[in-house]
């Protein structure tokens, strides 16, 4: 059984063929022990260890570290050597004791990769667990990523965790009531994460205003057309956010959001080509 494409591409870029074959054996073992298991998202459980291993491979982790990523949730580590078994045992100790000081760098990197993928999919946990995991990430794991010289991992962990802990702006939370209830929390969590990464108040305001403008169209898309049509509504939001980021004041932004929100609701209720007309209208206003 060959490795999935993203993982295969990552390991083939720096590991010799014999190590890739070793990892293929670990992948077969993981596929067998996780057969029939599902994540809370409904995805096959195997997607999680594969994602963790891919994160480690993109950091050019050792063969044994990538193998540990594939096997970190297996009930028995399998016959993949003492170094892999030591990494997995170290991760088990860390989970049991939370003793970060005595964990090896390899175990800490494994922990960071595991948490990073879990935060990427955290919307499937209940709100209390999301906030608990996010607070722990900011307090203990982001500093470890900095210490291990993994700045990209630290930044993404920080942005994802901050997005969960940050309350979405009230105007966004209220306008999101238009969305189907099942989708609302996921979209708000993603938007809060995006807002947390923006560097200035003006850019955050523009992003929120653009989303508020696009909300009627997104709601219409989600309720009537399924996920396939989301790009139209989201592209509208991006255009509106750009428009509102080009120097308008808050009073003007409020007027624009109100007017465009009503316009979007009317146009999207009539036909799908309305998004294109509304984008053209926004672009015309920007050129004035």
């Amino acid at each position: 059984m060959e490795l999935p494409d993203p993982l295969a591409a990552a390991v083939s870029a720096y590991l010799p063929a014999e190590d890739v074959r070793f990892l293929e054996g670990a992948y077969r073992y993981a596929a067998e022990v996780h057969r029939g298991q599902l994540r809370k998202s409904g995805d096959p459980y195997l997607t999680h260890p594969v994602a963790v291993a891919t994160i480690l491979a993109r950091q050019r982790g050792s063969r044994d570290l990538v193998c540990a990523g594939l096997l970190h949730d297996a009930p028995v580590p399998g016959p993949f050597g003492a170094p892999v078994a030591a990494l997995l045992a170290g991760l088990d100790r860390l989970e049991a004791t939370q003793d970060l000081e005595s964990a090896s760098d390899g175990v800490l990197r494994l922990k960071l990769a595991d948490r990073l993928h879990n935060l990427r999919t955290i919307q499937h946990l209940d709100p209390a667990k999301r906030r608990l995991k996010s607070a722990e990430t900011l307090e203990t794991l982001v500093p470890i990523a900095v210490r291990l010289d993994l700045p990209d991992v630290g930044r993404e962990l920080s942005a994802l965790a901050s997005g969960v802990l940050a309350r979405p702006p009230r105007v966004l939370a209220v306008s999101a009531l238009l969305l189907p209830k099942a989708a609302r929390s996921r979209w708000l969590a993603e938007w809060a994460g995006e807002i947390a990464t923006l560097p200035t108040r003006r850019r955050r305001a523009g992003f929120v205003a653009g989303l508020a403008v696009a909300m009627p169209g997104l709601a219409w898309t989600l309720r009537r057309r399924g996920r396939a049509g989301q790009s139209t509504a989201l592209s509208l939001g991006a255009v509106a956010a750009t428009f509102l980021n080009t120097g308008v004041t808050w009073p003007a932004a409020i007027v624009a959001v109100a007017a465009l929100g009503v316009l979007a609701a009317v146009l999207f209720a009539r036909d799908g080509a309305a998004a294109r007309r509304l984008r053209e209208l926004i672009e015309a206003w920007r050129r004035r």
Side-chain angles (χ1 to χ4, degrees), residues 271-287:
D271 63 88
R276 183 170 58 256
R277 296 201 299 272
L278 187 52
R279 285 199 299 271
E280 292 170 355
L281 177 61
I282 293 173
E283 289 296 330
W285 284 348
R286 288 184 63 195
R287 289 193 292 269

Side-chain angles (χ1 to χ4, degrees), residues 109-125:
R109 289 180 66 182
L110 184 56
K111 173 70 175 178
L112 290 173
D114 179 44
R115 178 58 58 87
L116 179 56
H117 184 249
N118 280 331
L119 281 185
R120 288 174 179 174
T121 56
I122 200 170
Q123 67 269 18
H124 301 291
L125 296 180

Side-chain angles (χ1 to χ4, degrees), residues 3 7 11 14-27 53 56-57 59-71 79-85 87 109-110:
L3 297 173
L7 178 55
V11 297
Y14 71 100
L15 289 178
E18 62 186 85
D19 286 350
V20 175
R21 288 193 294 271
F22 177 87
L23 293 172
E24 287 173 348
Y27 174 64
L56 294 167
Q59 299 168 8
R60 294 189 169 242
S62 69
R63 180 199 72 174
D64 292 331
L65 184 57
V66 176
C67 183
L70 283 169
L71 302 177
F80 295 98
V84 174
L87 285 166
R109 289 180 66 182
L110 184 56

Side-chain angles (χ1 to χ4, degrees), residues 70-265:
L70 283 169
L71 302 177
H72 76 278
D73 279 335
V76 179
F80 295 98
V84 174
L87 285 166
L88 296 174
L91 182 63
D92 287 343
R93 284 194 300 273
L94 177 58
E95 297 288 356
T97 66
Q98 299 300 311
D99 184 5
L100 298 169
E101 296 301 322
S102 63
S104 69
D105 286 357
V107 169
L108 292 174
R109 289 180 66 182
L110 184 56
K111 173 70 175 178
L112 290 173
D114 179 44
R115 178 58 58 87
L116 179 56
H117 184 249
N118 280 331
L119 281 185
R120 288 174 179 174
T121 56
I122 200 170
Q123 67 269 18
H124 301 291
L125 296 180
D126 65 71
K129 286 186 178 179
R130 289 202 299 263
R131 295 184 68 83
L132 181 64
K133 293 291 185 184
S134 297
E136 178 189 67
T137 297
L138 291 174
E139 182 179 352
T140 63
L141 297 183
V142 170
I144 289 174
V146 174
R147 176 164 67 81
L148 295 180
D149 195 25
L150 297 170
D152 291 342
V153 172
R155 280 192 294 269
E156 187 174 357
L157 286 172
S158 180
L160 291 170
S162 298
V164 170
L165 295 173
R167 292 186 178 181
R170 182 171 297 180
V171 64
L172 195 57
V174 171
S175 60
L177 293 174
L178 294 171
L179 302 179
K181 186 175 181 179
R184 196 177 302 149
S185 62
R186 180 176 69 83
W187 284 106
L188 284 172
E190 291 184 11
W191 290 330
E194 291 287 338
I195 292 168
T197 66
L198 296 177
T200 66
R201 185 174 181 272
R202 180 181 291 273
R203 291 188 62 185
R204 291 191 291 272
F207 183 84
V208 170
L211 286 174
V213 169
M215 201 68 70
L218 177 58
W220 178 266
T221 299
L222 291 174
R223 292 180 183 277
R224 297 298 177 91
R225 302 177 187 175
R227 296 184 61 85
Q230 289 179 19
S231 59
T232 299
L234 292 178
S235 63
L236 171 62
V239 172
T242 301
F243 165 68
L244 291 167
N245 261 322
T246 55
V248 298
T249 61
W250 263 111
I254 293 171
V255 172
V257 168
L260 289 175
V262 173
L263 183 59

Side-chain angles (χ1 to χ4, degrees), residues 1-4 23-32 46 50 70:
M1 183 183 294
E2 295 183 351
L3 297 173
L23 293 172
E24 287 173 348
Y27 174 64
R28 286 193 295 270
Y29 182 82
E32 183 60 33
L46 185 62
V50 167
L70 283 169

